[in-house]
Every structure is written in C-alpha cells, then in structure tokens.
Amino acid sequence: MSAPMQFTYYGHSCFAVVVDGVRLLFDPFITGNPKAGHIDVNSIEADYILITHGHGDHLADAVSIATRTGATVISNYEIASWLANQGVSKTHGMNFGGSYALPFGRTKYVVAVHSSTLPDGSPGGNPGGFVVTSGTQTFYYAGDTALTYDMKLISDEFDLNFAVLPIGDTFTMGIADAVRAADFVGAKTVVGVHYDTFPPIAIDRDEAVTAFGARGVTLLLPAIGETVAL
Ligand code: NI
Ligand code: MN
C-alpha cells in the first residue's frame, strides 16, 4: 500500500503530483495567470516537468523552472527539442504510444485532440496527454483535448486512481463532454482544470460538480495553491 499521491493545484492546467517522493510538475503557467498572483513560482520544486502541448498557457514558465530546479522536461519530440534550444539542459522527447521510465514507474504519452503551435510560431508537434503509473497508483492527465473515443484505450490498459480533465469549454471539452470522458477512461475521481482563468472558459462550479456527481464521479476543484491527497 503506497502513500497517497499529493496533488497541488497552481491554477489553469498547472499542477504538481508527488508520487513516492518524486515531484512531477505539469504544464507550468503561473506568472502569466491573472488568478495565480499569490503563487511564488520560485518556490515550486520539480524533478520532472511534463508538458502536454506547445501553447503558452501550458509552458510559459517551463524554461525558468527547469533552469532553476534542474528538472528533466518530458514532452513530445518537437517541444522537447524547442526547449533544449531555449537552454533547458535535460529534456526527453516522446511521441504517441511511447513510454518513459520514471524512478517509481513510467509515463505514457497518449493522444489528445487539440493543436500545439509554440509561442514563437514554431510547430509544436501534436498535442497529447500523459498516463503516469507506479504500478499500484495511476493517474491520467488529458491535457487540452476534445472528447475522443481513444480515451477508451486508457480504461482498457490502466486502472486509474484519478483523472485530470479540462472542463472549461471553448478551447477544450466542456462539462458535459468531460463527464463522458471520465466514463471512457474509467475515473471515479476527477480533478477539473482549464477553467475560470479567462472569461471564455468561465464555468458554474456547482453545475459542474452536480453533473459529474449525477454519473457517480467526484469532481474536485481545489483552490489555487491547495494540496489534496488522492
Ligand atoms: Ni492549448
Ligand atoms: Mn490551454
């Protein structure tokens, strides 16, 4: 029986998960987030930084955090190469279906339906998501994506403790499709991300919690800076 995973939300789609003492940071976007002004980006530690796709709201703080912490950045091949050119010393590029060993287990880069142009207009490959597993503890982070039948492959292969899904609509799934995604991937606990940061992705939180609850899924919406055990 492993200790619970510690999940800390940093706003938008940025969060950290500590698995067996290893610190994973996802999609760092803090200094540009109008809702995350109380987060000290220089206090965030990471052993690995995982980036789902090339949009600025998922990697704007990646170079500075990777440089300060010495973390290894994991993303698709195009983004990993782009970050290496920006001065990140440790990168690992992947593509769909590939897995990469972590100290406690592995991560698999899986399909997302979205876009991925980098902030300077460079091609950012294809957007993805990650499944992270220690063998006994597993979670899925969808990145920015539409609902897709490919999500059913995740429940075929993995038994998830929780899923992190975008719920803000406009640029990703909205609430109704995210509820269906939770069913497709087989998650009974979902952390909602990619909402309320900007006006186009504002949601009604009560409506969201009720919609997931009606399908037997617990939706967690931690405060920015809050840590929950999952
Ligand atoms: Ni995006
Ligand atoms: Mn986004």
Side-chain angles (χ1 to χ4, degrees):
M1 193 62 193
S2 305
M5 293 178 278
Q6 299 292 320
F7 179 104
T8 302
Y9 187 48
Y10 292 116
H12 199 53
S13 288
C14 181
F15 58 93
V17 182
V18 181
V19 187
D20 290 354
V22 178
R23 298 164 298 190
L24 310 175
L25 180 69
F26 292 82
D27 283 356
F29 169 68
I30 295 155
T31 56
N33 181 348
K35 300 288 175 72
H38 59 296
I39 301 295
D40 175 12
V41 71
N42 291 314
S43 73
I44 296 173
E45 295 299 332
D47 299 303
Y48 294 89
I49 300 171
L50 290 83
I51 297 172
T52 57
H53 66 289
H55 292 158
D57 62 320
H58 297 259
L59 55 58
D61 292 311
V63 172
S64 67
I65 297 174
T67 301
R68 178 176 52 78
T69 62
T72 298
V73 179
I74 300 171
S75 190
N76 69 30
Y77 182 82
E78 290 82 358
I79 293 169
S81 302
W82 186 82
L83 288 168
N85 285 334
Q86 311 274 316
V88 175
S89 57
K90 290 190 283 181
T91 60
H92 182 75
M94 305 181 68
N95 214 325
F96 296 137
S99 289
Y100 181 58
L102 296 170
F104 56 80
R106 66 191 179 117
T107 186
K108 186 171 187 177
Y109 191 61
V110 297
V111 169
V113 177
H114 190 67
S115 54
S116 186
T117 307
L118 285 155
D120 64 359
S122 298
N126 290 306
F130 292 100
V131 179
V132 174
T133 183
S134 70
T136 57
Q137 303 189 100
T138 304
F139 66 95
Y140 164 60
Y141 169 39
D144 282 5
T145 185
L147 179 68
T148 165
Y149 259 65
D150 284 327
M151 291 171 174
K152 294 187 179 223
L153 295 173
I154 291 169
S155 57
D156 283 352
E157 181 176 0
F158 298 102
D159 185 11
L160 301 182
N161 293 69
F162 66 94
V164 181
L165 302 178
I167 60 172
D169 217 328
T170 302
F171 307 115
T172 67
M173 299 186 285
I175 293 163
D177 279 354
V179 170
R180 297 168 71 196
D183 179 51
F184 282 8
V185 302
K188 288 295 177 191
T189 300
V190 168
V191 182
V193 297
H194 214 275
Y195 69 93
D196 280 1
T197 313
F198 311 109
I201 58 173
I203 66 160
D204 181 324
R205 294 179 185 219
D206 291 337
E207 177 192 327
V209 170
T210 300
F212 278 87
R215 297 299 296 269
V217 179
T218 301
L219 177 67
L220 303 176
L221 300 174
I224 297 173
E226 184 179 359
T227 299
V228 293
L230 293 172

